[in-house]
Amino acid sequence: MWPWYDESGRFAPLKLLVLVALCVPAALVAWRFQAHVLGADPLNAAIHEIGNWTIKLIFLALAVTPARRILDWPRVLTLRRMIGVAAFCYAAMHLSLYALDHRFDVVKIATEIALRFYLTIGFTALVILAALAATSTDGMMRRLGRRWRPLHRLVYLAALLAVVHFFIQTKADVDEPWVMAGLYAWLMLYRTAAWRRGSDRRVPLWAIALLAPLAGGLTALGEAIYYWIKLGVDPVRVLGADLSLATGLRPAWVVLAITLGLSAAGALRALTRRRRGTRASQPA
């Protein structure tokens, strides 16, 4: 079945729109490469940009479940498989471009992956994504039965490995990796809350809203510890810089804005539905 059809075989405009959107980043990178606007080392820049989008798509796939609950949008679940497979495709492109940069020297590539820790981590994440993509079909779900769900929980590990890979290979500005780390913390906090309540539908919106400052605080704390260990900077100074907007929009604030914005969208959605229900119940 084509990806732009739903389970009943009908054309689904939303799925087609998302499919096109998933292809846009790769198309833009390809166009910028051909237009020679990726800098002095365009292939290396393309490798990093595709890798960056890989992490974003993994996180987007992980965000589908919270979005269903927070936005009360069950149809978004139909997009999770497509986004997850797209994340694997981008990871495969990331490795392919890396191989191209090394002229497809298999021995050298394998040696690099084995000896360089961040490449080993990234390759492990790719293997996990490949396994998840290969078993994402309805047929594999039926064949694996109860084993399917535990297997696909490995996406949490793949996301963590991708963030660590991003951290290590980023040599200077680590603000974006810290944003990814903070969002990962929020996603795991949400799933922990859902697990403790037995279902994500039992997690109230007020509890979800509280996860935003918690994830932002953990991001700031993690960044302070990181600079203390790596550069010996006083953690209190880093925390002060993180909590103050005088130094710009720090990763903790970005994480807070994204997660709090999602909670606010959920509250607005709930309020709108409540008002519609009240109007519908009023006598004509």
Side-chain angles (χ1 to χ4, degrees):
M1 183 184 298
W2 294 105
W4 48 82
Y5 287 96
D6 60 21
E7 294 181 354
S8 63
R10 293 179 298 181
F11 174 68
L14 177 62
K15 296 187 73 173
L16 178 61
L17 179 63
V18 171
L19 178 63
V20 172
L22 291 171
C23 296
V24 167
L28 285 176
V29 172
W31 176 81
R32 293 174 65 199
F33 182 86
Q34 291 295 329
H36 305 288
V37 293
L38 285 178
D41 191 349
L43 184 54
N44 186 60
I47 292 170
H48 289 300
E49 288 200 18
I50 293 297
N52 195 313
W53 275 105
T54 301
I55 300 176
K56 290 177 180 177
L57 291 176
I58 295 173
F59 276 43
L60 193 59
L62 285 174
V64 166
T65 296
R68 177 196 63 174
R69 163 69 184 93
I70 297 171
L71 302 178
D72 193 18
W73 188 20
R75 286 182 60 195
V76 75
L77 285 178
T78 63
L79 306 175
R80 182 167 55 188
R81 181 187 304 178
M82 183 188 299
I83 298 171
V85 172
F88 162 69
C89 292
Y90 273 75
M93 280 191 283
H94 182 58
L95 178 62
S96 298
L97 290 173
Y98 176 79
L100 176 61
D101 194 34
H102 287 76
R103 301 181 183 275
F104 296 100
D105 187 334
V106 177
V107 174
K108 182 178 180 181
I109 294 168
T111 303
E112 290 278 296
I113 291 174
L115 296 180
R116 294 195 177 188
F117 184 56
Y118 81 98
L119 292 179
T120 306
I121 291 175
F123 185 75
T124 303
L126 172 61
V127 171
I128 293 174
L129 292 177
L132 300 186
T135 57
S136 65
T137 63
D138 293 337
M140 288 302 300
M141 289 178 66
R142 290 190 295 267
R143 189 175 305 173
L144 291 173
R146 294 181 179 179
R147 294 173 294 174
W148 187 87
R149 191 174 296 275
L151 173 64
H152 277 251
R153 284 177 181 152
L154 287 175
V155 68
Y156 306 146
L157 176 59
L160 177 60
L161 293 175
V163 171
V164 175
H165 173 77
F166 193 14
F167 259 111
I168 299 175
Q169 67 89 31
T170 303
K171 297 178 175 59
D173 186 0
V174 293
D175 282 359
E176 192 169 3
W178 271 114
V179 171
M180 295 297 181
L183 294 177
Y184 180 80
W186 185 91
L187 288 166
M188 295 302 102
L189 287 169
Y190 174 85
R191 280 167 169 78
T192 301
W195 172 75
R196 288 180 63 86
R197 289 180 171 266
S199 170
D200 68 330
R201 291 190 174 276
R202 296 180 182 176
V203 182
L205 282 175
W206 64 263
I208 295 173
L210 289 178
L211 297 180
L214 181 56
L218 288 173
T219 305
L221 181 61
E223 190 177 12
I225 295 173
Y226 171 81
Y227 282 113
W228 175 46
I229 294 174
K230 186 174 181 178
L231 301 176
V233 181
D234 184 358
V236 177
R237 289 182 56 192
V238 179
L239 283 173
D242 283 340
L243 297 177
S244 171
L245 292 175
T247 57
L249 202 60
R250 303 299 304 155
W253 287 104
V254 176
V255 171
L256 178 64
I258 293 173
T259 54
L260 205 56
L262 183 58
S263 300
L268 182 61
R269 170 76 167 171
L271 180 61
T272 303
R273 290 178 67 89
R274 191 176 300 115
R275 286 181 176 176
R276 287 178 180 174
T278 302
R279 292 174 182 173
S281 63
Q282 291 178 347

